[in-house]
Amino acid sequence: MNADAPDDNAARRRGARPKLLATTNRDIARLAQVSVVTVSRYFNAPELVSEGVRERLREVIAQTGYVPSQVARRLASSKSGVVGAVMQNIGSPTFARVVQGITEVLDRQGLQLLLASSDYLQHAEARAIRTFLGWHPSALILTRGDHAPDIEALLRGTRVPVVEAWDLAEDRPFYQVGFRQQDAGALVARHFLEQGAARVRYVLPASAQDSRATRRGEGFALAMRAAAGDVQCVRATVADDFAAGEAAIAAFAAEAPASRPRALAFANDNMAMAALLRAPAYGVAVPRDCGVAGYGDALLGPLLSPALTTVRPDPYAIGTAAAQMVLRLIPGVASTEGVALRQDVPCELVARASSAMAV
């Protein structure tokens, strides 16, 4: 006996692989007294099935609780009803609004959203993208534009439509919806300059994986230097944003009043809100001693005292526009004629009391 040959007895002892679904399409065909081909056509092209047969199949499916195998459907057809999306941080209210916008548009077209969260990590995004592509999705929506090199090559070679939502960059080959991060940073810089703050500090999060925050800092610094301002960009030394915000205001309080910055800009609202909340404990009066601004327009921001100045993106509009772009890129769903490679969804500065240094 060949030692490398399969052990038939062992295979029989193991038995057949159990089915995940008790009811099969063959069962549905038998109960509805139609062919298996008709059952498949009912799910994939119902308009080709007569109303009487559709009604009979609906009754049988409702009685049995049958769910068609998505794997089988993809093997039988090149079409997919799934759109994969990778969010940077699904726990963030900002990205939750992006998801809401995407979902509402896709639902109206009968498309299903598959969602993954990367927590700003390239390797986590890479794993999600590879998994999604294995399911042959109708499209991908990604919320970062600086992918790992192997993933960049994979995306450039795939036929699956790719939309990068949130950023706009001139050197990307994919469709994009969002705004330039550098412009968001420049909005805050110009606002501080208007308030008379020529010496400022920009506080970045601890993780360099948040490349968008880095680009906002770059835009902030460029705008300040263009106006001959004195700007310093620093990176937080603790990962937690709230702890980083407190550390930033504590460091400010420890500096000599004559040499410390006139204003602090934070890469996100969590850091800025923590700085505002803890400023009194360190003897800092905002905005008298230090103007403060954030990014993201958190719901708590306007309720603080003083209320937080911030940059307000429009995540719902970005999600909606990304999904609408996807619909126009999916073959056979709509015409791709006239689809712009980049669609701008601008953000805006919301000036509140925390930066009212000129008052």
Side-chain angles (χ1 to χ4, degrees), residues 68-81:
S69 168
Q70 296 301 311
V71 174
R73 293 181 70 185
R74 278 159 180 74
L75 290 174
S77 171
S78 61
K79 295 181 179 179
S80 167

Side-chain angles (χ1 to χ4, degrees), residues 60-349:
V60 170
I61 290 166
Q63 291 169 2
T64 60
Y66 172 71
V67 178
S69 168
Q70 296 301 311
V71 174
R73 293 181 70 185
R74 278 159 180 74
L75 290 174
S77 171
S78 61
K79 295 181 179 179
S80 167
V82 165
V83 173
V86 185
M87 297 293 116
Q88 297 283 61
N89 178 9
I90 197 60
S92 161
T94 296
F95 285 109
R97 291 285 286 162
V98 176
V99 172
Q100 181 183 1
I102 294 171
T103 302
E104 290 181 4
V105 172
L106 297 184
D107 277 353
R108 290 194 291 268
Q109 298 297 322
L111 295 169
Q112 178 62 52
L113 178 66
L114 290 184
L115 190 62
S117 182
S118 68
D119 197 25
Y120 298 101
L121 300 174
Q122 274 190 342
H123 72 268
E125 185 205 43
R127 184 172 61 249
I129 289 172
R130 289 188 182 280
T131 300
F132 285 156
L133 287 176
W135 284 88
H136 306 289
S138 295
L140 289 176
I141 299 175
L142 309 175
T143 51
R144 69 183 301 157
D146 57 335
H147 315 291
D150 58 330
I151 293 299
E152 180 76 16
L154 180 63
L155 293 173
R156 288 174 184 258
T158 184
R159 294 183 179 180
V160 174
V162 175
V163 174
E164 292 178 337
W166 206 260
D167 285 2
L168 291 185
E170 290 75 13
D171 60 346
R172 303 297 296 147
F174 309 111
Y175 290 89
Q176 293 183 319
V177 175
F179 56 93
R180 293 182 74 253
Q181 300 298 312
Q182 294 89 339
D183 293 344
L187 282 175
V188 181
R190 287 193 290 268
H191 174 67
F192 279 159
L193 289 166
E194 291 168 359
Q195 299 298 306
R199 186 167 65 251
V200 295
R201 179 176 297 154
Y202 195 91
V203 184
L204 294 159
S207 174
Q209 290 276 0
D210 189 351
S211 58
R212 285 197 292 264
T214 300
R215 291 197 295 279
R216 288 196 295 274
E218 292 169 352
F220 180 90
L222 283 172
M224 288 298 302
R225 288 168 184 152
D230 181 3
V231 60
Q232 178 190 24
C233 288
V234 300
R235 189 168 293 280
T237 57
V238 290
D240 180 78
D241 284 339
F242 293 103
E246 178 174 6
I249 202 69
F252 171 87
E255 296 176 66
S259 60
R260 65 192 184 188
R262 184 66 185 85
L264 297 176
F266 291 89
N268 62 57
D269 277 357
N270 284 348
M271 288 194 291
M273 290 189 298
L276 278 181
L277 290 168
R278 296 298 294 158
Y282 292 97
V284 176
V286 178
R288 186 195 67 195
D289 300 330
C290 174
V292 171
Y295 166 87
D297 196 26
L299 294 177
L300 185 60
L303 303 180
L304 300 180
S305 183
L308 177 63
T309 291
T310 188
V311 174
R312 175 187 292 159
D314 194 340
Y316 178 79
I318 290 173
T320 299
Q324 290 170 341
M325 185 175 283
V326 158
L327 294 181
R328 298 188 64 184
L329 296 174
I330 296 175
V333 176
S335 172
T336 60
E337 184 178 352
V339 180
L341 188 60
R342 283 177 284 275
Q343 181 175 339
D344 188 18
V345 182
C347 53
E348 63 176 322
L349 181 86

Side-chain angles (χ1 to χ4, degrees), residues 12-31:
R12 282 194 293 270
R13 286 196 300 271
R14 287 195 300 269
R17 179 179 296 175
K19 295 179 179 179
L20 297 179
L21 300 176
T23 306
T24 69
N25 59 347
R26 293 184 181 277
D27 297 326
I28 298 299
R30 177 177 52 79
L31 292 171

